Amino acid sequence: MTDGDHGPAGAVGSIQVECGSPHTVVHLRGDVDATLREEASTAMGQALGASAPVVCDASDLRFIDSTGVAFLLQLRMATREAGLAMSLWDPRHVVGELLDAIGMADEIPLAEAAPDAV
């Protein structure tokens, strides 16, 4: 976990993982871009290590680039291989609309409700 990284032009973003029951929550906040590659790798390991269904919470996301989308799709493939469910909570539709635009909207199911605090 991290308090956030400063990207170009002072942009701030983070990927934080909360492991708990009944699921693991991956919080995407601020600007998720190439500056968070190392953080994304750490988050993926934490999420998979928890061995619980994963909910990606994008409700506090302002911006996501192709690196961030690649992280989500890689996390989806890894959870599938591990036999874990994964869903996306994106009430502002930042990620959902982008996945739709690239033809990948059906890859990550949408969460029916906001993830509870763990």
Side-chain angles (χ1 to χ4, degrees):
M1 286 192 216
T2 180
D3 292 330
D5 293 317
H6 297 277
V12 177
S14 68
I15 302 172
Q16 298 177 324
V17 178
E18 289 183 69
C19 300
S21 180
H23 50 259
T24 298
V25 181
V26 177
H27 296 280
L28 305 171
R29 294 186 173 110
D31 297 344
V32 174
D33 57 23
T35 63
L36 300 181
R37 282 186 186 166
E38 191 171 312
E39 193 170 337
S41 178
T42 300
M44 186 171 306
Q46 290 174 332
L48 293 172
S51 298
V54 176
V55 177
C56 291
D57 180 0
S59 61
D60 292 327
L61 189 64
R62 284 187 310 253
F63 170 80
I64 188 167
D65 73 357
S66 60
T67 307
V69 171
F71 163 74
L72 287 173
L73 294 173
Q74 289 170 349
L75 182 59
R76 175 62 176 145
M77 287 189 304
T79 55
R80 206 181 270 160
E81 289 175 7
L84 300 173
M86 179 183 157
S87 58
L88 174 67
W89 176 248
D90 182 24
R92 293 175 45 195
H93 308 292
V94 173
V95 178
E97 290 174 0
L98 184 54
L99 289 172
D100 188 44
I102 63 170
M104 302 296 284
D106 294 334
E107 275 302 305
I108 304 174
L110 298 178
E112 295 182 17
D116 297 324
V118 266

